[in-house]
Amino acid sequence: MKQKIKSLLFISLILSLTSTQVFAMGSRRPKVPPTPTPTTPKPPVPAPTPTPPNVPVGPYVDQISELAATSACANYSWKNRGRAPAGYIKGVALSFARSLCRLNSYVQNPSPLALIMSAADSHNDSKDALTHYANNFVTLPIQLNVAGVEPLRALYVLGMGLGMRESSGTYCEGWDTSAGSNRPSSAAEAGLFQTSYDSMKASVELSNLYTEYKSTANSRCFLNVFKEGASCKTSTTLGTGAGADYQVYNKACPAFATEYAMTMLRIKRYHYGPINRLEAEVKPQCDQLLKDVQELVNNDPQMACLDIF
């Protein structure tokens, strides 16, 4: 019996030594890999949308309107007229910017219309309003003897005063009933500056401007801008035909009426009684406004002119 027990102990010892040797030689039980924690995939980041070429990225019409609304020019009380309708100062400022674009946006080839408006003082007092008003610009001061933006800005400063004398800044002003109705429709005044159709023969560029505006979108007229604060009376059209059509359009498209009148001031100033009598005021407040507009446009002429033009 003792011998059997010894035999069993011996076998147990042998098995124990074998097991220890196996693990000592590097055998390992296989490890179970950890279960990965599920993650929510992130959505892909969309690529930025490229800006289409030749699309204006700045609301320059709004910026110019804001400059005008907050200017000292807008707050000025014009002699015998009071403050201008808010839309008048804004609209003339926008029209100045458009004329500036005609001159500077494509400076290699400025439009013939821009060359008329921006010409140096012609020293022809019988035709050129800048010559007629030259003494008024000395004190601002604005340089008139060199063609370019200075004469153009002077022209619009004078134009602001003219519009206040002619219509109190009201875009829809009709023909002058005090002048009588016994005249052709071509002689009837209309709009902001009370210009008549018979003036168009003064330059081919005037008829070209008329055609340009009539063949493009109505939005170029800035009518909604000029309407602000204006009070329109019921007005009739004198006569029929081309002169009557011009009267209607002059009231419906005040941006056209403005650029047309500014051109007329350089070549046929005697069309306007307040200019002949030196009644149109030239105000430094309005010059400063147009300087601010000029700076805004010149900072980014390509985008500004795409928006304004």
Side-chain angles (χ1 to χ4, degrees), residues 147-228:
V149 69
E150 291 274 298
L152 179 64
R153 197 176 73 246
L155 178 65
Y156 270 86
V157 173
L158 177 58
M160 280 192 177
L162 174 61
M164 287 306 296
R165 294 301 306 178
E166 291 282 19
S167 69
S168 297
T170 306
Y171 73 95
C172 47
E173 190 74 12
W175 60 280
D176 183 5
T177 56
S178 67
S181 59
N182 189 23
R183 49 192 175 134
S185 63
S186 60
E189 317 82 358
L192 285 165
F193 303 94
Q194 292 290 281
T195 312
S196 56
Y197 181 70
D198 57 9
S199 64
M200 201 169 292
K201 58 188 177 184
S203 170
V204 67
E205 293 307 323
L206 294 171
S207 58
N208 288 344
L209 183 69
Y210 191 33
T211 301
E212 173 197 314
Y213 268 93
K214 290 184 74 175
S215 63
T216 54
N218 289 337
S219 60
R220 294 188 70 232
C221 292
F222 295 138
L223 180 58
N224 288 338
V225 176
F226 278 95
K227 277 184 174 181
E228 186 180 345

Side-chain angles (χ1 to χ4, degrees), residues 266-278:
R266 298 307 310 273
I267 59 179
K268 198 176 181 180
R269 64 93 172 163
Y270 52 87
H271 189 81
Y272 304 101
I275 294 295
N276 302 334
R277 298 186 294 268
L278 298 173

Side-chain angles (χ1 to χ4, degrees), residues 35-307:
T35 303
T37 304
T39 58
T40 303
K42 294 182 179 180
V45 179
T49 303
T51 303
N54 299 325
V55 174
V57 296
Y60 288 93
V61 170
D62 291 342
Q63 291 182 60
I64 291 172
S65 296
E66 181 64 20
L67 283 174
T70 57
S71 69
C73 181
N75 290 323
Y76 177 68
S77 181
W78 300 84
K79 186 177 180 180
N80 298 327
R81 296 294 186 270
R83 286 181 60 176
Y88 173 69
I89 302 299
K90 294 178 182 179
V92 175
L94 285 166
S95 297
F96 167 70
R98 181 172 289 166
S99 295
L100 183 63
C101 287
R102 293 184 191 274
L103 178 66
N104 287 345
S105 180
Y106 308 102
V107 70
Q108 298 296 328
N109 187 26
S111 75
L113 192 80
L115 293 177
I116 292 174
M117 289 190 282
S118 64
D121 182 356
S122 67
H123 302 290
N124 187 340
D125 187 82
S126 65
K127 292 184 177 181
D128 190 350
L130 292 192
T131 302
H132 198 56
Y133 266 80
N135 290 338
N136 297 73
F137 292 107
V138 172
T139 56
L140 287 185
I142 297 181
Q143 174 60 254
L144 301 181
N145 290 326
V146 179
V149 69
E150 291 274 298
L152 179 64
R153 197 176 73 246
L155 178 65
Y156 270 86
V157 173
L158 177 58
M160 280 192 177
L162 174 61
M164 287 306 296
R165 294 301 306 178
E166 291 282 19
S167 69
S168 297
T170 306
Y171 73 95
C172 47
E173 190 74 12
W175 60 280
D176 183 5
T177 56
S178 67
S181 59
N182 189 23
R183 49 192 175 134
S185 63
S186 60
E189 317 82 358
L192 285 165
F193 303 94
Q194 292 290 281
T195 312
S196 56
Y197 181 70
D198 57 9
S199 64
M200 201 169 292
K201 58 188 177 184
S203 170
V204 67
E205 293 307 323
L206 294 171
S207 58
N208 288 344
L209 183 69
Y210 191 33
T211 301
E212 173 197 314
Y213 268 93
K214 290 184 74 175
S215 63
T216 54
N218 289 337
S219 60
R220 294 188 70 232
C221 292
F222 295 138
L223 180 58
N224 288 338
V225 176
F226 278 95
K227 277 184 174 181
E228 186 180 345
S231 178
C232 293
K233 301 175 183 178
T234 302
S235 64
T236 59
T237 301
L238 181 62
T240 59
D245 294 341
Y246 176 85
Q247 293 171 55
V248 172
Y249 194 73
N250 227 20
K251 292 182 285 185
C253 192
F256 159 74
T258 302
E259 286 201 287
Y260 188 99
M262 297 307 102
T263 307
M264 280 285 292
L265 284 174
R266 298 307 310 273
I267 59 179
K268 198 176 181 180
R269 64 93 172 163
Y270 52 87
H271 189 81
Y272 304 101
I275 294 295
N276 302 334
R277 298 186 294 268
L278 298 173
E279 293 173 348
E281 293 181 81
V282 172
K283 302 308 299 180
Q285 300 95 316
C286 299
D287 181 40
Q288 184 57 56
L289 165 61
L290 297 186
K291 280 183 180 178
D292 294 340
V293 172
Q294 177 184 329
E295 181 179 2
L296 177 66
V297 172
N298 287 344
N299 281 341
D300 190 3
Q302 183 179 11
M303 292 296 104
C305 291
L306 282 170
D307 193 23

Side-chain angles (χ1 to χ4, degrees), residues 28-36:
R28 294 288 188 271
R29 293 180 180 178
K31 293 183 178 180
V32 179
T35 303

